[in-house]
Short mmCIF file of all heavy atoms in Angstrom, two decimals:
data_model
loop_
_atom_site.label_atom_id
_atom_site.label_comp_id
_atom_site.label_asym_id
_atom_site.label_seq_id
_atom_site.Cartn_x
_atom_site.Cartn_y
_atom_site.Cartn_z
N GLU A 26 111.14 49.75 111.75
CA GLU A 26 112.06 49.35 112.82
C GLU A 26 112.76 50.56 113.43
O GLU A 26 112.99 50.62 114.63
CB GLU A 26 113.06 48.32 112.29
CG GLU A 26 112.37 47.02 111.88
CD GLU A 26 113.35 45.88 111.69
OE1 GLU A 26 114.26 45.73 112.51
OE2 GLU A 26 113.19 45.14 110.70
N ALA A 27 113.08 51.55 112.59
CA ALA A 27 113.67 52.79 113.10
C ALA A 27 112.62 53.56 113.92
O ALA A 27 112.93 54.12 114.98
CB ALA A 27 114.17 53.65 111.95
N PHE A 28 111.38 53.56 113.43
CA PHE A 28 110.30 54.21 114.17
C PHE A 28 110.08 53.52 115.51
O PHE A 28 109.82 54.18 116.53
CB PHE A 28 109.01 54.20 113.36
CG PHE A 28 107.84 54.78 114.10
CD1 PHE A 28 107.65 56.14 114.19
CD2 PHE A 28 106.92 53.93 114.74
CE1 PHE A 28 106.57 56.67 114.89
CE2 PHE A 28 105.85 54.45 115.45
CZ PHE A 28 105.67 55.82 115.53
N ARG A 29 110.19 52.19 115.54
CA ARG A 29 110.02 51.46 116.79
C ARG A 29 111.01 51.94 117.84
O ARG A 29 110.66 52.12 119.01
CB ARG A 29 110.20 49.95 116.55
CG ARG A 29 109.87 49.11 117.78
CD ARG A 29 110.80 47.92 117.92
NE ARG A 29 112.15 48.31 118.24
CZ ARG A 29 112.59 48.66 119.46
NH1 ARG A 29 111.75 48.68 120.47
NH2 ARG A 29 113.84 49.01 119.67
N GLU A 30 112.26 52.16 117.42
CA GLU A 30 113.28 52.62 118.36
C GLU A 30 112.93 54.00 118.92
O GLU A 30 113.05 54.26 120.12
CB GLU A 30 114.64 52.65 117.66
CG GLU A 30 115.15 51.27 117.29
CD GLU A 30 116.33 51.32 116.33
OE1 GLU A 30 116.81 52.44 116.05
OE2 GLU A 30 116.76 50.25 115.86
N GLU A 31 112.48 54.89 118.05
CA GLU A 31 112.09 56.23 118.49
C GLU A 31 110.90 56.17 119.44
O GLU A 31 110.85 56.87 120.46
CB GLU A 31 111.73 57.09 117.27
CG GLU A 31 112.89 57.34 116.32
CD GLU A 31 112.42 58.00 115.03
OE1 GLU A 31 111.21 58.28 114.93
OE2 GLU A 31 113.25 58.20 114.14
N HIS A 32 109.93 55.32 119.09
CA HIS A 32 108.72 55.25 119.90
C HIS A 32 108.99 54.59 121.25
O HIS A 32 108.41 54.99 122.27
CB HIS A 32 107.64 54.46 119.14
CG HIS A 32 106.26 54.79 119.57
ND1 HIS A 32 105.61 55.93 119.17
CD2 HIS A 32 105.40 54.14 120.41
CE1 HIS A 32 104.41 55.97 119.72
NE2 HIS A 32 104.26 54.89 120.48
N HIS A 33 109.88 53.63 121.24
CA HIS A 33 110.30 52.99 122.50
C HIS A 33 110.89 54.04 123.44
O HIS A 33 110.57 54.09 124.64
CB HIS A 33 111.31 51.89 122.20
CG HIS A 33 111.82 51.19 123.42
ND1 HIS A 33 113.12 50.73 123.53
CD2 HIS A 33 111.23 50.86 124.60
CE1 HIS A 33 113.29 50.16 124.71
NE2 HIS A 33 112.16 50.23 125.37
N GLN A 34 111.73 54.90 122.90
CA GLN A 34 112.36 55.93 123.71
C GLN A 34 111.32 56.92 124.25
O GLN A 34 111.40 57.36 125.40
CB GLN A 34 113.43 56.68 122.91
CG GLN A 34 114.28 57.60 123.76
CD GLN A 34 115.08 56.86 124.81
OE1 GLN A 34 115.81 55.93 124.51
NE2 GLN A 34 114.92 57.27 126.08
N LEU A 35 110.35 57.26 123.43
CA LEU A 35 109.28 58.16 123.87
C LEU A 35 108.55 57.57 125.06
O LEU A 35 108.29 58.27 126.05
CB LEU A 35 108.30 58.42 122.72
CG LEU A 35 107.03 59.20 123.08
CD1 LEU A 35 107.37 60.60 123.57
CD2 LEU A 35 106.08 59.26 121.88
N CYS A 36 108.22 56.30 124.98
CA CYS A 36 107.51 55.64 126.08
C CYS A 36 108.38 55.59 127.33
O CYS A 36 107.88 55.77 128.45
CB CYS A 36 107.10 54.22 125.67
SG CYS A 36 105.84 54.17 124.37
N LEU A 37 109.68 55.36 127.16
CA LEU A 37 110.59 55.36 128.31
C LEU A 37 110.65 56.73 128.96
O LEU A 37 110.60 56.85 130.19
CB LEU A 37 112.00 54.95 127.85
CG LEU A 37 112.22 53.49 127.45
CD1 LEU A 37 113.63 53.32 126.87
CD2 LEU A 37 112.02 52.57 128.64
N VAL A 45 103.12 47.85 122.78
CA VAL A 45 102.93 48.63 121.56
C VAL A 45 103.49 47.81 120.40
O VAL A 45 104.59 47.26 120.49
CB VAL A 45 103.66 49.99 121.63
CG1 VAL A 45 103.43 50.78 120.34
CG2 VAL A 45 103.18 50.79 122.84
N LEU A 94 107.16 47.32 129.86
CA LEU A 94 106.97 48.03 128.59
C LEU A 94 107.60 47.20 127.47
O LEU A 94 108.76 46.79 127.57
CB LEU A 94 107.64 49.41 128.63
CG LEU A 94 107.73 50.13 127.27
CD1 LEU A 94 106.35 50.52 126.76
CD2 LEU A 94 108.64 51.36 127.38
N HIS A 95 106.81 46.94 126.44
CA HIS A 95 107.34 46.26 125.26
C HIS A 95 106.87 47.02 124.02
O HIS A 95 105.67 47.21 123.82
CB HIS A 95 106.83 44.81 125.17
CG HIS A 95 107.38 43.91 126.23
ND1 HIS A 95 108.72 43.58 126.30
CD2 HIS A 95 106.77 43.28 127.27
CE1 HIS A 95 108.91 42.77 127.33
NE2 HIS A 95 107.76 42.58 127.94
N VAL A 96 107.82 47.47 123.22
CA VAL A 96 107.52 48.11 121.95
C VAL A 96 108.18 47.25 120.89
O VAL A 96 109.40 47.18 120.81
CB VAL A 96 108.05 49.56 121.88
CG1 VAL A 96 107.65 50.21 120.56
CG2 VAL A 96 107.52 50.37 123.06
N ARG A 97 107.38 46.58 120.09
CA ARG A 97 107.90 45.55 119.18
C ARG A 97 107.51 45.83 117.74
O ARG A 97 106.44 46.37 117.45
CB ARG A 97 107.38 44.17 119.58
CG ARG A 97 107.87 43.69 120.95
CD ARG A 97 107.48 42.25 121.18
NE ARG A 97 108.12 41.68 122.34
CZ ARG A 97 107.50 41.37 123.48
NH1 ARG A 97 106.21 41.61 123.59
NH2 ARG A 97 108.16 40.83 124.49
N TYR A 98 108.38 45.40 116.84
CA TYR A 98 108.08 45.42 115.41
C TYR A 98 107.50 44.06 115.02
O TYR A 98 108.05 43.02 115.39
CB TYR A 98 109.33 45.70 114.57
CG TYR A 98 109.12 45.37 113.10
CD1 TYR A 98 108.39 46.21 112.28
CD2 TYR A 98 109.61 44.18 112.57
CE1 TYR A 98 108.15 45.89 110.95
CE2 TYR A 98 109.39 43.85 111.24
CZ TYR A 98 108.66 44.72 110.44
OH TYR A 98 108.43 44.38 109.13
N GLY A 310 114.79 39.92 135.81
CA GLY A 310 115.84 40.80 135.33
C GLY A 310 115.42 41.73 134.21
O GLY A 310 116.27 42.31 133.52
N TYR A 311 114.11 41.89 134.01
CA TYR A 311 113.59 42.75 132.94
C TYR A 311 114.16 44.16 133.05
O TYR A 311 114.21 44.75 134.13
CB TYR A 311 112.06 42.80 133.03
CG TYR A 311 111.44 43.97 132.32
CD1 TYR A 311 111.35 44.01 130.94
CD2 TYR A 311 110.92 45.05 133.04
CE1 TYR A 311 110.77 45.08 130.29
CE2 TYR A 311 110.35 46.12 132.41
CZ TYR A 311 110.27 46.13 131.02
OH TYR A 311 109.70 47.21 130.38
N ASN A 312 114.62 44.70 131.94
CA ASN A 312 115.18 46.04 131.87
C ASN A 312 114.55 46.78 130.70
O ASN A 312 114.83 46.48 129.55
CB ASN A 312 116.70 45.96 131.69
CG ASN A 312 117.33 47.35 131.55
OD1 ASN A 312 116.68 48.37 131.74
ND2 ASN A 312 118.61 47.37 131.21
N PRO A 313 113.67 47.75 130.97
CA PRO A 313 112.99 48.45 129.87
C PRO A 313 113.93 49.25 128.98
O PRO A 313 113.58 49.61 127.86
CB PRO A 313 112.01 49.38 130.61
CG PRO A 313 112.64 49.59 131.94
CD PRO A 313 113.29 48.29 132.28
N TYR A 314 115.16 49.52 129.46
CA TYR A 314 116.11 50.31 128.68
C TYR A 314 117.01 49.44 127.80
O TYR A 314 117.89 49.95 127.10
CB TYR A 314 116.99 51.14 129.63
CG TYR A 314 116.22 52.19 130.37
CD1 TYR A 314 115.68 51.92 131.63
CD2 TYR A 314 115.99 53.45 129.83
CE1 TYR A 314 114.95 52.87 132.32
CE2 TYR A 314 115.26 54.41 130.51
CZ TYR A 314 114.74 54.11 131.75
OH TYR A 314 114.01 55.06 132.43
N LYS A 315 116.77 48.14 127.83
CA LYS A 315 117.64 47.21 127.12
C LYS A 315 117.81 47.57 125.64
O LYS A 315 118.90 47.51 125.10
CB LYS A 315 117.08 45.79 127.23
CG LYS A 315 117.90 44.73 126.51
CD LYS A 315 117.26 43.36 126.67
CE LYS A 315 118.03 42.32 125.88
NZ LYS A 315 117.39 40.97 126.00
N ASP A 316 116.71 47.96 124.98
CA ASP A 316 116.76 48.24 123.54
C ASP A 316 116.85 49.73 123.23
O ASP A 316 116.60 50.15 122.10
CB ASP A 316 115.53 47.64 122.85
CG ASP A 316 115.49 46.14 122.96
OD1 ASP A 316 116.57 45.53 122.88
OD2 ASP A 316 114.40 45.58 123.14
N SER A 317 117.17 50.52 124.24
CA SER A 317 117.25 51.96 124.02
C SER A 317 118.59 52.34 123.39
O SER A 317 119.63 52.28 124.03
CB SER A 317 117.08 52.70 125.35
OG SER A 317 117.35 54.07 125.17
N LYS A 318 118.57 52.72 122.14
CA LYS A 318 119.81 53.09 121.46
C LYS A 318 120.37 54.40 122.00
O LYS A 318 121.58 54.62 122.01
CB LYS A 318 119.57 53.19 119.95
CG LYS A 318 119.30 51.85 119.30
CD LYS A 318 119.60 51.86 117.83
CE LYS A 318 119.60 50.45 117.26
NZ LYS A 318 119.97 50.41 115.85
N ARG A 319 119.49 55.27 122.47
CA ARG A 319 119.97 56.54 123.04
C ARG A 319 120.81 56.25 124.27
O ARG A 319 121.88 56.84 124.45
CB ARG A 319 118.79 57.43 123.43
CG ARG A 319 119.24 58.76 124.03
CD ARG A 319 118.10 59.53 124.65
NE ARG A 319 117.08 59.87 123.68
CZ ARG A 319 115.92 60.47 123.99
NH1 ARG A 319 115.68 60.78 125.25
NH2 ARG A 319 115.03 60.75 123.07
N LEU A 320 120.34 55.32 125.13
CA LEU A 320 121.08 54.98 126.32
C LEU A 320 122.44 54.39 125.96
O LEU A 320 123.45 54.69 126.57
CB LEU A 320 120.28 54.01 127.18
CG LEU A 320 120.89 53.63 128.54
CD1 LEU A 320 120.98 54.87 129.43
CD2 LEU A 320 120.10 52.55 129.21
N LYS A 321 122.44 53.53 124.95
CA LYS A 321 123.70 52.91 124.53
C LYS A 321 124.69 53.99 124.06
O LYS A 321 125.88 53.94 124.35
CB LYS A 321 123.43 51.91 123.42
CG LYS A 321 122.71 50.65 123.88
CD LYS A 321 122.44 49.71 122.71
CE LYS A 321 121.69 48.46 123.19
NZ LYS A 321 121.36 47.56 122.07
N LYS A 322 124.20 54.96 123.31
CA LYS A 322 125.06 56.04 122.83
C LYS A 322 125.60 56.86 123.99
O LYS A 322 126.77 57.27 123.98
CB LYS A 322 124.29 56.93 121.85
CG LYS A 322 124.01 56.28 120.51
CD LYS A 322 123.23 57.21 119.61
CE LYS A 322 122.95 56.55 118.26
NZ LYS A 322 122.17 57.45 117.37
N LYS A 324 126.11 55.84 127.05
CA LYS A 324 127.13 55.06 127.74
C LYS A 324 128.46 55.05 126.96
O LYS A 324 129.54 55.12 127.54
CB LYS A 324 126.63 53.63 127.94
CG LYS A 324 125.60 53.49 129.03
CD LYS A 324 125.20 52.04 129.27
CE LYS A 324 124.24 51.90 130.42
NZ LYS A 324 123.88 50.48 130.66
#
Side-chain angles (χ1 to χ4, degrees):
E26 295 194 44
F28 176 80
R29 187 217 68 80
E30 294 167 5
E31 296 171 2
H32 204 78
H33 179 215
Q34 190 63 54
L35 172 62
C36 293
L37 289 173
V45 181
L94 169 67
H95 291 294
V96 183
R97 295 188 170 109
Y98 165 76
Y311 161 75
N312 177 9
Y314 294 92
K315 179 181 177 182
D316 297 322
S317 171
K318 291 203 168 184
R319 180 191 298 176
L320 184 64
K321 289 179 181 177
K322 288 179 180 179
K324 285 184 176 181

